[in-house]
Amino acid sequence: MPAITDSVQFVKGIGPKKVKLFEKLHISTLQDALETYPRDYEDRTQITRIADIADEDRYAVRAILGTEPKVSRIRKGMTLVKCTIFDESGSLGVTWFNQPYITAQLRVGQEYLFYGRVQGFGRARQMISPQAEKVAENDRNPGRIVPVYPLTAGLTQRDMARVTEAALDAVPGDWPDPLPEVLRVKYRLPDAADALAAIHRPKTREDVNEARRRMVFEELFLLCCGLQQLKERRRADSGILFRGDRLEEFFAALPTGAQRRAIMEIAADCASGRPMNRLVQGDVGSGKTVVAAALCALAAQNGWQAAFMAPTEILAAQHAETLSPMLSKLGLTCTLLTGSMTAAQKRAALAAIESGAANVVVGTHALIQQSVVFHRLGAVIADEQHRFGVAQRAALSAKGEMPHVLVMSATPIPRTLALIMYGDLDVSILDETPPGRSPVETYAVGENMRRRITAFIEKQLAAGGQVYVVCPLVEDGEGDSRLKSAEQHAKDLQAQLPHRRVAVLHGRMKNAEKDAVMRDFAAQKYDILVATTVIEVGVDVPNANLMVVEDADRFGLSQLHQ
């Protein structure tokens, strides 16, 4: 019997060519095969009588092969195999494309379970290229749940079945289980070996569901354990000590208790002697930037620099404009560094950063370039942190010695989920809205209201506002033809409202073009901005008071919220 660590080459029917194909799927050993789960399952337990086939769909049919399968060549390189099958209720034509070998596998008068897609109607009905399994003489329930694995060209589901079968046979009796028994009992979970068997060879749909539940629980459990270890390891690190006794001006200007609470948590982290690693999550307009400004001030007052990284140039410039007046009151300087600055501007900014003259540096990914040398980096802030990879945040942090890290996000995450997803971070949530903000009113309307929507857009523009229109596609022809595309919808709106200025924004445009369009929209050079979700990372356009989201069901909740 093969061992679980043996190569798949020892499985009968798997030659050197197929071994290389398995390696493309990152499967070298039987254990690799065991850890490659099915992507789907075919339910062949629901057997349908031929007479009861109603629609074009996949069916499992228990039937007898009625006519000899005949091979015909319809053109060079293309063969058809045709035959007829029947049960007690009727007959059905079957066709296989480019599978001439099927004739040697089937015998007239033998009963098989055929599983495949039925196409056409009436007498033209055909089952196309079905799987056929011989039914034993006294087998009352020949149907089964069949796993469907990810493949690469040259490998078949039968190859995967052979290898996973061998892998299951090789599972030792003392297969380790990462879940403690007390957890398995508490949450009624199967053990690891049983779950693997049910994932690869389920007898019922319930087997699949129970095994999946166990696998998902295990993944989350191990993720939480890993994140907890990261947190414990961080607690052992020594960080920069910030004394936070000079934030009175910030506290006096803060409109919400949530902001004050977040700043106090940040100050406590920075005074703990350990590196801070905190997430601040709050809606657009909840005051995250002011909270970040307090950390910048705290760093500067203690003789350190702060770096504030934003995902786009226009957002970086907006943050610099917001932070500069706040920090200048405290005698602190704010320097902007982006990729599109002139060589002279970059030289001046880099010199100020290296000398320490720049207390706070705001920029894009340009901040992590090798040419950027900080005098004394003590705090790192990443805005819309989901737009940055772990490596990018780490590269910025590496420019200092264990700096305090604050990441900000407007994506709504329930606290319990945030603690799982960002388990290596402490979480502050800004759940209060600053006074004076009008509540957002949201309406869902159908296509039959199109004329009224256009009239409402015109009404808002006539009152001096601006309008966002968000579409799921960039241009016609790239997806579902029923969906609105930004480019075509912009043309339609321009035709309907010829006296209004309409702009288009989408991800296929160059960064400089996107920034120019957003800048012009913010400067009120356009009345309507038709865009894709490229506007998801919010730019502050106070004059825009209406957003129309086309085909809203095509967006995720986080996208709609953004």
Side-chain angles (χ1 to χ4, degrees), residues 412-423:
I413 310 162
R415 188 171 186 87
T416 47
L417 188 56
L419 292 171
I420 294 171
M421 285 177 65
Y422 305 110

Side-chain angles (χ1 to χ4, degrees), residues 29-94:
T29 66
L30 293 181
Q31 182 158 344
D32 295 334
L34 208 58
E35 292 168 358
T36 303
Y37 302 141
R39 62 175 175 78
D40 200 2
Y41 295 89
E42 292 176 349
D43 188 350
R44 302 184 188 177
T45 61
Q46 304 300 313
I47 297 173
T48 305
R49 296 190 325 151
I50 290 174
D52 295 336
I53 293 173
D55 306 309
E56 293 193 345
D57 203 347
R58 289 187 175 277
Y59 292 93
V61 173
R62 182 172 180 167
I64 294 169
L65 187 67
T67 60
E68 196 74 45
K70 290 189 177 177
V71 182
S72 58
R73 285 172 175 78
I74 55 173
R75 62 173 181 269
K76 190 176 180 182
M78 172 69 81
T79 62
L80 289 183
V81 176
K82 289 197 167 191
C83 66
T84 303
I85 61 174
F86 67 90
D87 64 10
E88 77 283 357
S89 71
S91 62
L92 179 67
V94 180

